[in-house]
């Protein structure tokens, strides 16, 4: 049974940094799409960053380009999201998600890409204060 487990959320002041981690287990295929989404109260779940486990194009939401970096450590099946220069508007519950490789494409072309992902972590809260 595929599972995703996030860690690393917390509370920081604006301008600070956090690193989120997501450990994947139980995936039969080694090639798939993994990404980070976030959801603030009253808002849609939005894609933040995503990548193919075998490399290639990386997606970033315009709002985080230049501040967030997604990366993976294949040996440990761990996905990371390094978040720098955090802003109060980055405050949200952050979720790790995984799906077949085809799902990454949705982040570039769909307004609600989250609906394409079947596997989700439990979420980790990020709060950025002024």
């Amino acid at each position: 049974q595929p599972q995703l487990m996030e860690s690393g959320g917390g509370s920081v002041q604006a301008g600070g940094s956090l690193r989120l981690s997501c450990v994947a287990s139980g995936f039969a295929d080694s090639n798939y799409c993994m990404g980070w989404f976030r959801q603030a109260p009253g808002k849609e779940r939005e894609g933040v960053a995503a990548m193919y486990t075998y490399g290639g194009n990386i997606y970033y939401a315009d709002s985080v380009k230049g501040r967030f970096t997604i990366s993976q450590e294949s040996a440990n099946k761990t996905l990371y999201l390094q978040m720098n220069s955090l802003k109060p508007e980055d405050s949200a519950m952050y979720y790790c998600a995984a799906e077949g490789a085809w799902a990454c494409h949705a982040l570039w072309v769909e307004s609600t890409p989250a609906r394409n992902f079947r596997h989700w972590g439990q979420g980790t809260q990020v709060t950025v204060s002024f």
Side-chain angles (χ1 to χ4, degrees), residues 50-59 72 108:
M51 65 186 301
Y52 300 97
T53 56
Y54 52 84
N57 291 339
I58 293 177
Y59 170 85
Q72 64 174 340
W108 277 276

Side-chain angles (χ1 to χ4, degrees), residues 7-70:
S7 61
S11 297
V12 295
Q13 290 189 323
S17 298
L18 285 172
R19 189 176 81 154
L20 306 183
S21 300
C22 173
V23 179
S25 61
F27 287 85
D29 195 349
S30 60
N31 297 324
Y32 47 95
C33 176
M34 288 192 74
W36 292 97
F37 290 76
R38 67 186 181 187
Q39 189 167 20
K43 293 190 176 181
E44 295 271 353
R45 189 170 296 191
E46 63 173 350
V48 175
M51 65 186 301
Y52 300 97
T53 56
Y54 52 84
N57 291 339
I58 293 177
Y59 170 85
Y60 289 105
D62 288 342
S63 58
V64 306
K65 284 180 181 177
R67 301 188 298 121
F68 290 12
T69 303
I70 189 172

Side-chain angles (χ1 to χ4, degrees), residues 87-119:
K87 303 175 181 180
E89 52 264 44
D90 294 318
S91 297
M93 186 71 79
Y94 282 70
Y95 297 90
C96 176
E99 185 49 77
W102 58 269
C104 269
H105 181 67
L107 285 129
W108 277 276
V109 299
E110 293 189 19
S111 59
T112 55
R115 66 185 182 87
N116 295 288
F117 287 75
R118 289 175 294 164
H119 308 294

